[in-house]
Protein backbone atom coordinates (compact mmCIF):
# COMPACT_ATOMS: atom_id res chain seq x y z
CA UNK A 1 0.00 0.00 0.00
CA UNK A 2 1.43 3.36 -1.04
CA UNK A 3 1.87 5.89 1.74
CA UNK A 4 0.42 9.28 0.91
CA UNK A 5 2.26 12.38 2.01
CA UNK A 6 -1.02 14.03 3.03
CA UNK A 7 -4.62 12.88 3.39
CA UNK A 8 -7.36 15.46 3.93
CA UNK A 9 -10.60 14.23 5.45
CA UNK A 10 -13.53 16.36 4.28
CA UNK A 11 -14.34 18.35 1.15
CA UNK A 12 -16.01 21.48 2.46
CA UNK A 13 -14.37 24.93 2.31
CA UNK A 14 -11.79 23.96 4.96
CA UNK A 15 -10.71 20.75 3.27
CA UNK A 16 -10.75 22.21 -0.24
CA UNK A 17 -8.72 25.27 0.78
CA UNK A 18 -6.20 23.03 2.50
CA UNK A 19 -6.06 20.87 -0.64
CA UNK A 20 -5.38 23.84 -2.92
CA UNK A 21 -2.52 25.10 -0.78
CA UNK A 22 -1.02 21.65 -0.22
CA UNK A 23 -1.20 20.66 -3.89
CA UNK A 24 0.44 23.93 -4.96
CA UNK A 25 3.29 22.96 -2.65
CA UNK A 26 3.65 19.70 -4.57
CA UNK A 27 2.33 17.34 -1.88
CA UNK A 28 -0.31 15.83 -4.20
CA UNK A 29 -2.87 15.33 -1.39
CA UNK A 30 -5.67 12.80 -1.38
CA UNK A 31 -9.02 14.18 -0.24
CA UNK A 32 -11.45 11.67 1.24
CA UNK A 33 -14.54 13.78 0.83
CA UNK A 34 -17.38 11.69 2.23
CA UNK A 35 -20.73 10.84 0.66
CA UNK A 36 -21.85 14.49 0.64
CA UNK A 37 -18.70 16.44 -0.22
CA UNK A 38 -19.14 20.16 0.08
CA UNK A 39 -20.38 20.46 3.65
CA UNK A 40 -23.15 22.83 4.65
CA UNK A 41 -22.59 25.02 1.61
CA UNK A 42 -24.62 22.45 -0.31
CA UNK A 43 -27.66 23.53 1.73
CA UNK A 44 -27.19 27.21 0.92
CA UNK A 45 -28.83 28.50 -2.23
CA UNK A 46 -27.08 31.89 -2.08
CA UNK A 47 -23.79 32.77 -0.39
CA UNK A 48 -23.66 36.54 -0.20
CA UNK A 49 -20.71 37.06 2.14
CA UNK A 50 -17.85 35.02 0.67
CA UNK A 51 -15.00 37.28 -0.46
CA UNK A 52 -14.61 37.74 -4.19
CA UNK A 53 -18.25 37.31 -5.21
CA UNK A 54 -19.85 40.79 -5.22
CA UNK A 55 -23.10 39.44 -6.66
CA UNK A 56 -23.15 36.36 -4.43
CA UNK A 57 -22.77 32.74 -5.49
CA UNK A 58 -24.81 29.58 -5.02
CA UNK A 59 -23.37 27.31 -2.35
CA UNK A 60 -22.99 24.24 -4.61
CA UNK A 61 -21.34 26.39 -7.30
CA UNK A 62 -18.83 27.75 -4.79
CA UNK A 63 -17.95 24.21 -3.71
CA UNK A 64 -17.58 23.13 -7.34
CA UNK A 65 -15.23 26.01 -8.10
CA UNK A 66 -13.11 25.31 -5.04
CA UNK A 67 -12.86 21.65 -5.97
CA UNK A 68 -11.84 22.42 -9.58
CA UNK A 69 -9.19 24.79 -8.28
CA UNK A 70 -7.74 22.08 -6.03
CA UNK A 71 -7.85 19.53 -8.88
CA UNK A 72 -6.03 21.96 -11.15
CA UNK A 73 -2.96 21.72 -8.90
CA UNK A 74 -3.04 17.93 -8.59
CA UNK A 75 -5.38 17.13 -5.71
CA UNK A 76 -7.02 13.70 -6.00
CA UNK A 77 -10.47 12.90 -4.62
CA UNK A 78 -12.40 9.88 -3.44
CA UNK A 79 -15.98 10.51 -2.38
CA UNK A 80 -16.14 7.82 0.27
CA UNK A 81 -16.83 8.16 3.96
CA UNK A 82 -13.88 7.63 6.26
CA UNK A 83 -15.09 5.12 8.85
CA UNK A 84 -11.89 4.27 10.73
CA UNK A 85 -8.59 5.93 11.61
CA UNK A 86 -5.49 4.69 13.42
CA UNK A 87 -3.46 7.61 14.76
CA UNK A 88 -1.33 5.59 17.17
CA UNK A 89 1.20 4.26 14.67
CA UNK A 90 2.99 5.88 11.76
CA UNK A 91 2.23 6.13 8.97
CA UNK A 92 -1.35 6.88 9.98
CA UNK A 93 -4.13 4.65 8.63
CA UNK A 94 -7.51 5.68 7.24
CA UNK A 95 -10.19 3.28 6.04
CA UNK A 96 -12.92 4.43 3.67
CA UNK A 97 -15.21 2.59 1.28
CA UNK A 98 -13.65 -0.75 2.15
CA UNK A 99 -10.16 0.48 1.24
CA UNK A 100 -7.20 1.28 3.46
CA UNK A 101 -5.00 4.32 3.01
CA UNK A 102 -1.87 5.38 4.85
CA UNK A 103 -0.42 8.85 5.24
CA UNK A 104 2.49 10.65 6.81
CA UNK A 105 0.21 13.60 7.65
CA UNK A 106 -3.54 14.12 8.05
CA UNK A 107 -5.75 17.20 8.03
CA UNK A 108 -9.17 16.62 9.58
CA UNK A 109 -11.83 18.85 8.04
CA UNK A 110 -14.94 16.69 8.49
CA UNK A 111 -17.14 19.62 9.53
CA UNK A 112 -20.28 19.72 11.63
CA UNK A 113 -23.93 19.19 10.79
CA UNK A 114 -26.79 21.34 11.97
CA UNK A 115 -29.32 19.59 14.13
CA UNK A 116 -32.75 19.72 12.51
CA UNK A 117 -36.29 19.37 13.83
CA UNK A 118 -36.88 16.18 11.87
CA UNK A 119 -40.25 17.10 10.38
CA UNK A 120 -40.79 16.23 6.68
CA UNK A 121 -41.67 19.76 5.56
CA UNK A 122 -38.44 21.13 7.02
CA UNK A 123 -36.15 19.65 4.37
CA UNK A 124 -38.46 20.83 1.58
CA UNK A 125 -37.87 24.48 2.48
CA UNK A 126 -34.14 24.51 3.28
CA UNK A 127 -32.80 27.47 1.35
CA UNK A 128 -36.37 28.64 0.71
CA UNK A 129 -37.11 30.19 4.08
CA UNK A 130 -35.65 27.54 6.38
CA UNK A 131 -32.07 28.08 7.53
CA UNK A 132 -29.68 26.96 10.24
CA UNK A 133 -27.36 29.96 9.85
CA UNK A 134 -28.63 33.38 10.84
CA UNK A 135 -25.37 35.13 10.04
CA UNK A 136 -25.40 33.57 6.57
CA UNK A 137 -29.00 34.25 5.62
CA UNK A 138 -30.31 37.01 7.89
CA UNK A 139 -29.67 39.65 5.24
CA UNK A 140 -32.33 38.09 2.98
CA UNK A 141 -35.08 38.72 5.54
CA UNK A 142 -35.03 42.50 5.64
CA UNK A 143 -38.37 43.80 6.86
CA UNK A 144 -39.79 40.29 7.25
CA UNK A 145 -41.11 38.26 10.18
CA UNK A 146 -39.08 35.25 11.26
CA UNK A 147 -39.03 32.50 13.87
CA UNK A 148 -36.01 31.18 15.74
CA UNK A 149 -36.37 27.68 17.19
CA UNK A 150 -34.33 26.92 20.30
CA UNK A 151 -33.60 27.97 23.85
CA UNK A 152 -29.83 28.04 24.17
CA UNK A 153 -27.15 30.67 23.63
CA UNK A 154 -27.09 30.04 19.88
CA UNK A 155 -30.82 30.70 19.58
CA UNK A 156 -30.53 33.93 21.59
CA UNK A 157 -27.51 35.07 19.57
CA UNK A 158 -29.29 34.29 16.30
CA UNK A 159 -32.45 36.09 17.40
CA UNK A 160 -30.52 39.19 18.43
CA UNK A 161 -28.57 39.19 15.18
CA UNK A 162 -31.74 38.82 13.10
CA UNK A 163 -33.28 41.93 14.65
CA UNK A 164 -30.83 43.93 12.52
CA UNK A 165 -32.80 42.90 9.46
CA UNK A 166 -36.17 41.39 10.35
CA UNK A 167 -39.29 43.29 11.26
CA UNK A 168 -39.92 40.87 14.13
CA UNK A 169 -38.29 37.79 15.63
CA UNK A 170 -40.27 35.17 17.55
CA UNK A 171 -38.40 32.59 19.60
CA UNK A 172 -40.25 29.28 19.79
CA UNK A 173 -39.11 27.00 22.60
CA UNK A 174 -40.29 23.60 23.76
CA UNK A 175 -40.00 24.53 27.44
CA UNK A 176 -41.05 27.42 29.63
CA UNK A 177 -37.49 28.32 30.64
CA UNK A 178 -34.36 28.97 28.60
CA UNK A 179 -31.04 27.14 28.93
CA UNK A 180 -29.14 30.14 27.57
CA UNK A 181 -26.82 32.08 29.86
CA UNK A 182 -28.42 34.82 31.94
CA UNK A 183 -26.61 37.51 29.96
CA UNK A 184 -28.00 36.16 26.69
CA UNK A 185 -31.47 35.80 28.16
CA UNK A 186 -31.44 39.38 29.42
CA UNK A 187 -30.27 40.69 26.08
CA UNK A 188 -33.02 38.87 24.16
CA UNK A 189 -35.82 39.66 26.59
CA UNK A 190 -34.98 43.35 26.64
CA UNK A 191 -35.08 43.62 22.84
CA UNK A 192 -38.43 45.02 21.74
CA UNK A 193 -38.25 43.17 18.42
CA UNK A 194 -38.04 39.75 20.07
CA UNK A 195 -41.10 37.84 21.32
CA UNK A 196 -41.36 34.40 22.91
CA UNK A 197 -43.72 31.48 22.49
CA UNK A 198 -43.24 28.92 25.27
CA UNK A 199 -43.97 25.18 25.59
CA UNK A 200 -44.40 24.96 21.84
CA UNK A 201 -43.06 22.95 18.92
CA UNK A 202 -43.31 23.44 15.16
CA UNK A 203 -45.42 20.66 13.73
CA UNK A 204 -45.39 21.68 10.07
CA UNK A 205 -43.89 24.31 7.78
CA UNK A 206 -46.13 25.49 4.96
CA UNK A 207 -45.71 27.40 1.72
CA UNK A 208 -45.55 27.17 -2.05
CA UNK A 209 -42.20 28.27 -3.43
CA UNK A 210 -41.07 29.54 -0.02
CA UNK A 211 -42.15 29.52 3.63
CA UNK A 212 -45.41 31.32 4.33
CA UNK A 213 -46.61 29.88 7.66
CA UNK A 214 -45.98 27.31 10.39
CA UNK A 215 -48.29 25.07 12.39
CA UNK A 216 -47.51 25.33 16.10
CA UNK A 217 -48.49 22.86 18.80
CA UNK A 218 -48.60 23.71 22.47
CA UNK A 219 -46.93 20.77 24.21
CA UNK A 220 -48.94 21.22 27.43
CA UNK A 221 -52.43 21.66 26.00
CA UNK A 222 -52.01 19.92 22.64
CA UNK A 223 -53.71 22.87 20.94
CA UNK A 224 -52.49 23.72 17.43
CA UNK A 225 -52.47 27.08 15.68
CA UNK A 226 -51.14 28.48 12.42
CA UNK A 227 -48.83 31.48 12.29
CA UNK A 228 -47.92 33.47 9.18
CA UNK A 229 -44.15 33.76 8.92
CA UNK A 230 -41.49 34.44 6.27
CA UNK A 231 -38.56 32.50 7.67
CA UNK A 232 -37.67 29.76 10.15
CA UNK A 233 -34.20 29.63 11.68
CA UNK A 234 -33.32 26.36 13.41
CA UNK A 235 -30.93 26.98 16.31
CA UNK A 236 -30.95 23.77 18.33
CA UNK A 237 -27.26 23.05 17.99
CA UNK A 238 -24.61 21.45 15.82
CA UNK A 239 -23.11 17.98 15.81
CA UNK A 240 -19.43 17.83 14.81
CA UNK A 241 -18.50 14.86 12.65
CA UNK A 242 -16.02 13.35 15.09
CA UNK A 243 -17.41 9.89 15.86
CA UNK A 244 -14.37 8.09 14.41
CA UNK A 245 -12.01 10.22 16.50
CA UNK A 246 -13.53 9.36 19.87
CA UNK A 247 -10.83 8.03 22.22
CA UNK A 248 -8.21 8.91 19.59
CA UNK A 249 -8.15 12.70 19.85
CA UNK A 250 -9.10 15.07 22.63
CA UNK A 251 -12.72 16.18 22.21
CA UNK A 252 -14.64 18.74 24.25
CA UNK A 253 -17.96 18.04 25.95
CA UNK A 254 -19.87 18.75 22.72
CA UNK A 255 -17.66 16.52 20.60
CA UNK A 256 -15.56 19.20 18.88
CA UNK A 257 -11.86 18.47 18.41
CA UNK A 258 -9.73 20.43 20.88
CA UNK A 259 -6.94 22.20 19.00
CA UNK A 260 -3.98 24.38 19.89
CA UNK A 261 -3.51 27.48 17.72
CA UNK A 262 -6.82 26.48 16.07
CA UNK A 263 -5.21 23.74 13.96
CA UNK A 264 -2.86 21.53 16.03
CA UNK A 265 -4.19 18.40 17.69
CA UNK A 266 -2.36 16.53 20.42
CA UNK A 267 -0.73 14.27 17.82
CA UNK A 268 2.16 15.60 15.76
CA UNK A 269 1.32 15.42 12.08
CA UNK A 270 -2.45 15.47 12.64
CA UNK A 271 -4.04 18.86 12.03
CA UNK A 272 -7.62 20.10 12.10
CA UNK A 273 -9.51 22.76 10.14
CA UNK A 274 -13.00 24.23 9.94
CA UNK A 275 -16.23 23.52 11.78
CA UNK A 276 -15.06 20.22 13.25
CA UNK A 277 -13.12 22.33 15.77
CA UNK A 278 -14.91 25.69 15.48
CA UNK A 279 -17.89 25.97 17.80
CA UNK A 280 -18.11 29.77 17.51
CA UNK A 281 -17.92 31.22 13.99
CA UNK A 282 -18.94 28.41 11.59
CA UNK A 283 -18.57 30.47 8.41
CA UNK A 284 -17.33 29.32 5.01
CA UNK A 285 -14.68 32.04 4.98
CA UNK A 286 -13.34 31.22 8.44
CA UNK A 287 -13.32 27.51 7.57
CA UNK A 288 -11.36 28.25 4.41
CA UNK A 289 -8.90 30.34 6.39
CA UNK A 290 -8.28 27.58 8.91
CA UNK A 291 -7.80 25.15 6.02
CA UNK A 292 -5.03 27.38 4.72
CA UNK A 293 -3.40 27.45 8.17
CA UNK A 294 -3.60 23.67 8.46
CA UNK A 295 -2.04 23.21 5.02
CA UNK A 296 0.86 25.52 5.85
CA UNK A 297 1.42 23.73 9.15
CA UNK A 298 1.31 20.39 7.32
CA UNK A 299 3.87 21.70 4.83
CA UNK A 300 6.22 22.62 7.66
CA UNK A 301 5.77 19.20 9.26
CA UNK A 302 6.34 17.30 6.01
CA UNK A 303 9.41 19.37 5.19
CA UNK A 304 10.86 18.46 8.58
CA UNK A 305 10.28 14.80 7.72
CA UNK A 306 12.27 15.34 4.54
Amino acid sequence: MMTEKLIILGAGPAGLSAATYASREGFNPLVIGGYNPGGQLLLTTKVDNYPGFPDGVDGPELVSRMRKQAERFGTRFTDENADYVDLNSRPFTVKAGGKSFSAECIIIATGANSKWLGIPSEQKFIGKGVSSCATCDGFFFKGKDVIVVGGGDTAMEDATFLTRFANSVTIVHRKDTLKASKAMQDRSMSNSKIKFIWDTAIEEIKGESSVSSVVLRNLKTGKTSEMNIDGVFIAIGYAPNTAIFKDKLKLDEQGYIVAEDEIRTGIEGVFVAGDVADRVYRQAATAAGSGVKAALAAREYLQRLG
Side-chain angles (χ1 to χ4, degrees):
M1 178 173 59
M2 183 184 76
T3 297
E4 304 284 348
K5 289 187 178 70
L6 173 62
I7 285 179
I8 300 171
L9 302 178
L16 293 174
S17 296
T20 295
Y21 268 70
S23 56
R24 285 183 76 247
E25 294 286 342
F27 293 123
N28 196 28
L30 173 66
V31 174
I32 300 177
Y35 297 138
N36 295 301
Q40 298 204 56
L41 281 178
L42 296 182
L43 303 177
T44 307
T45 54
K46 190 72 173 288
V47 179
D48 224 25
N49 55 0
Y50 196 86
F53 295 90
D55 298 319
V57 58
D58 287 345
E61 181 184 352
L62 178 58
V63 170
S64 176
R65 289 188 181 198
M66 294 176 80
R67 177 162 174 154
K68 288 177 181 177
Q69 187 176 20
E71 287 176 327
R72 172 188 163 203
F73 295 111
T75 299
R76 294 160 297 134
F77 288 85
T78 176
D79 294 330
E80 302 284 353
N81 253 17
D83 48 30
Y84 173 83
V85 294
D86 180 357
L87 305 177
N88 289 323
S89 58
R90 299 170 189 271
F92 305 117
T93 299
V94 179
K95 292 184 179 180
K99 299 177 182 178
S100 290
F101 305 89
S102 65
E104 296 173 0
C105 183
I106 290 178
I107 295 175
I108 300 168
T110 48
N113 293 327
S114 301
K115 294 180 181 178
W116 298 98
L117 300 177
I119 57 177
S121 53
E122 177 182 51
Q123 297 300 309
K124 174 183 176 182
F125 289 107
I126 289 177
K128 301 173 183 177
V130 171
S131 172
S132 63
C133 184
T135 53
C136 304
D137 299 329
F139 175 82
F140 301 111
F141 292 86
K142 281 186 175 181
K144 297 183 180 294
D145 300 309
V146 301
I147 279 176
V148 173
V149 182
D153 280 352
T154 299
M156 300 307 111
E157 289 171 0
D158 284 0
T160 301
F161 176 82
L162 288 166
T163 59
R164 302 181 190 180
F165 309 101
N167 177 58
S168 71
V169 179
T170 301
I171 295 175
V172 176
H173 188 39
R174 297 177 64 88
K175 300 180 180 179
D176 58 4
T177 57
L178 299 170
K179 60 180 180 180
S181 64
K182 185 178 185 305
M184 292 303 303
Q185 291 189 42
D186 291 345
R187 188 182 305 172
S188 300
M189 291 180 174
S190 63
N191 192 315
S192 61
K193 277 192 171 184
I194 298 177
K195 299 175 287 186
F196 290 82
I197 298 179
W198 306 101
D199 301 310
T200 298
I202 293 181
E203 202 162 72
E204 186 181 359
I205 301 171
K206 292 185 174 183
E208 294 296 330
S209 58
S210 61
V211 171
S212 61
S213 68
V214 293
V215 176
L216 303 174
R217 180 168 62 88
N218 185 289
L219 298 176
K220 287 187 174 178
T221 65
K223 183 180 178 181
T224 61
S225 60
E226 188 166 342
M227 177 180 180
N228 293 331
I229 207 73
D230 301 300
V232 179
F233 287 84
I234 313 299
I236 56 177
Y238 290 81
N241 297 316
T242 55
I244 63 173
F245 306 111
K246 187 178 180 181
D247 302 324
K248 297 174 183 178
L249 289 173
K250 185 177 180 182
L251 308 179
D252 68 14
E253 67 278 3
Q254 294 183 15
Y256 290 88
I257 295 175
V258 176
E260 299 175 11
D261 301 329
E262 298 181 11
I263 56 169
R264 302 179 193 277
T265 70
I267 299 176
E268 191 176 19
V270 179
F271 302 94
V272 64
D275 290 5
V276 73
D278 178 10
R279 51 189 288 180
V280 178
Y281 299 106
R282 295 189 290 260
Q283 300 295 303
T286 55
S290 68
V292 172
K293 290 181 182 180
L296 295 176
R299 176 190 67 181
E300 179 186 3
Y301 172 75
L302 289 167
Q303 286 176 341
R304 278 193 281 116
L305 287 183

